[in-house]
Amino acid sequence: MTATTKDLIRQTALTLFDENGVSSTSVAQIRTQAGVSNGSFFHAYKNRDALCADLFLTSLYSYHAALLHRLPDTAADGIATLVTAHLEWVATSGPQGRFLFEHARSEWLSTIRDAQVVENAKLAQHIETWRAPLIAAGHLHPMPSPMFFAQLIGPAQIYCRAWLSGRSTEDPRAAAPALITCAQRVLLLNPAN
């Protein structure tokens, strides 16, 4: 099994899931659209749930990499960078973003829970490494890491989910200034600085 075949299956599945929904897309449809044999598909993935689990992790890795790319040293700029990175990734990732934030299902997430926990811990550790000196210097409110991340990305994520699901037609990046200002008001000890 080549990485190219696996990548082709992934990309085809993402497109079909995005167009038809996960539950309405069969392995046969994915194989046919990708132009791969039954044997090639099942050599790459045990079943559709295994493919979905792999797509979720691949999407999660891409999302986390985008969040952590070029994180500035200052509190205000770091908050702005993280919120902007979230909005940019969601707006430009296409089916991958919709898959990560709209299609996740517990029945196949349970098979990758350990890998997901490890990946989320890496993100948390990276953000904590950036955040700890800023808390110590009195620039950021001290709060538990999950609360910090919820305040930082939560509003942007809710806003993006409305766009991903079609409930909103406005590109989420248009809301960046307001979402950044809100996050900075909540997280910075002195938002004026």
Side-chain angles (χ1 to χ4, degrees), residues 130-165:
W130 165 77
R131 191 171 79 108
L134 296 169
I135 291 171
H139 298 294
L140 290 172
H141 283 287
M143 62 182 69
S145 181
M147 184 180 291
F148 176 83
F149 202 74
Q151 295 294 328
L152 175 72
I153 299 296
Q157 194 165 81
I158 290 169
Y159 196 82
C160 286
R161 284 180 189 251
W163 180 74
L164 288 168
S165 69

Side-chain angles (χ1 to χ4, degrees), residues 58-77:
T58 302
S59 300
L60 188 66
Y61 299 149
S62 173
Y63 172 62
H64 286 179
L67 285 181
L68 298 176
H69 185 70
R70 294 191 208 134
L71 190 58
D73 292 335
T74 66
D77 289 344

Side-chain angles (χ1 to χ4, degrees), residues 9 15 18 30 57 63 73-74 93 98 113 119-120 137 140 151-152 163 170 173 181 186 190:
I9 293 169
T15 300
D18 200 45
I30 296 167
L57 281 178
Y63 172 62
D73 292 335
T74 66
S93 65
R98 279 184 290 281
R113 187 67 63 211
E119 178 60 19
N120 287 338
L140 290 172
Q151 295 294 328
L152 175 72
W163 180 74
E170 182 180 33
R173 294 173 290 188
T181 298
V186 170
N190 187 356

Side-chain angles (χ1 to χ4, degrees), residues 86-152:
H86 172 81
L87 296 169
E88 186 67 27
W89 187 86
V90 170
T92 61
S93 65
Q96 195 174 32
R98 279 184 290 281
F99 186 82
L100 182 64
F101 294 117
E102 293 290 306
H103 295 300
R105 300 293 176 262
S106 61
E107 60 267 17
W108 42 264
L109 281 179
S110 64
T111 65
I112 56 163
R113 187 67 63 211
D114 291 345
Q116 182 184 9
V117 166
V118 168
E119 178 60 19
N120 287 338
K122 287 179 187 175
L123 174 70
Q125 181 57 51
H126 195 97
I127 289 179
E128 281 307 298
T129 299
W130 165 77
R131 191 171 79 108
L134 296 169
I135 291 171
H139 298 294
L140 290 172
H141 283 287
M143 62 182 69
S145 181
M147 184 180 291
F148 176 83
F149 202 74
Q151 295 294 328
L152 175 72

Side-chain angles (χ1 to χ4, degrees), residues 3-14 30 33-36:
T4 305
T5 301
K6 205 166 189 177
D7 290 340
L8 179 60
I9 293 169
R10 279 189 198 120
Q11 191 55 49
T12 302
L14 276 174
I30 296 167
Q33 188 74 26
V36 298

